[in-house]
Amino acid sequence: MSHRAAAWAPPFCPNPCCRFHSASTTSWHWVRAGFFQRQAAPQRIQRFRCEHCGRYFSRQTFRADYWLKRPELLEETFHALTHCTGFRQMARKHGCSPQTIMGLA
């Protein structure tokens, strides 16, 4: 019996010009394309390549916080907003602008 978790598979091609960009396609083929190193944990990230359009991407491409400058604020902002905390008050607490908090909301 193996205790290893099942390998993660990309749900769709992240390239909007690819015909397999839709999550409803079942015949999409991708290949593992090595790893890349980064400074934050986890340091080793698996890369993939779409066999149809040739685009390279990683598992991080599908994360909700992929483009965020301050991803550590996402969960705390959610909880603060559910408790009716104002944008300016949260921004003062975290030392950022209110627009940063508004972008997370």
Side-chain angles (χ1 to χ4, degrees), residues 34-47 58-60:
F35 295 89
F36 71 92
Q37 300 289 329
R38 65 182 203 152
Q39 292 179 355
Q43 281 82 17
R44 190 173 158 167
I45 305 295
Q46 176 76 57
R47 291 183 51 87
S58 70
R59 184 174 181 172
Q60 292 177 233

Side-chain angles (χ1 to χ4, degrees), residues 13 17-20 28-30 49-55:
C13 180
C17 298
C18 182
R19 72 177 181 167
F20 294 105
W28 178 50
H29 295 286
W30 51 268
R49 182 177 55 84
C50 174
E51 287 195 329
H52 177 71
C53 68
R55 170 136 181 206

Side-chain angles (χ1 to χ4, degrees), residues 34-99:
F35 295 89
F36 71 92
Q37 300 289 329
R38 65 182 203 152
Q39 292 179 355
Q43 281 82 17
R44 190 173 158 167
I45 305 295
Q46 176 76 57
R47 291 183 51 87
F48 303 93
R49 182 177 55 84
C50 174
E51 287 195 329
H52 177 71
C53 68
R55 170 136 181 206
Y56 286 88
F57 56 93
S58 70
R59 184 174 181 172
Q60 292 177 233
T61 307
F62 300 97
R63 289 179 52 123
D65 61 355
Y66 180 66
W67 290 104
L68 297 180
K69 302 284 187 199
R70 304 271 311 264
E72 71 276 6
L73 299 179
L74 192 59
E75 184 178 354
E76 193 167 341
T77 299
F78 167 75
H79 291 297
L81 288 173
T82 59
H83 291 94
C84 298
T85 307
F87 292 138
R88 287 177 37 207
Q89 183 179 2
M90 285 186 279
R92 273 193 306 270
K93 177 181 177 188
H94 296 297
C96 62
S97 75
Q99 284 75 23

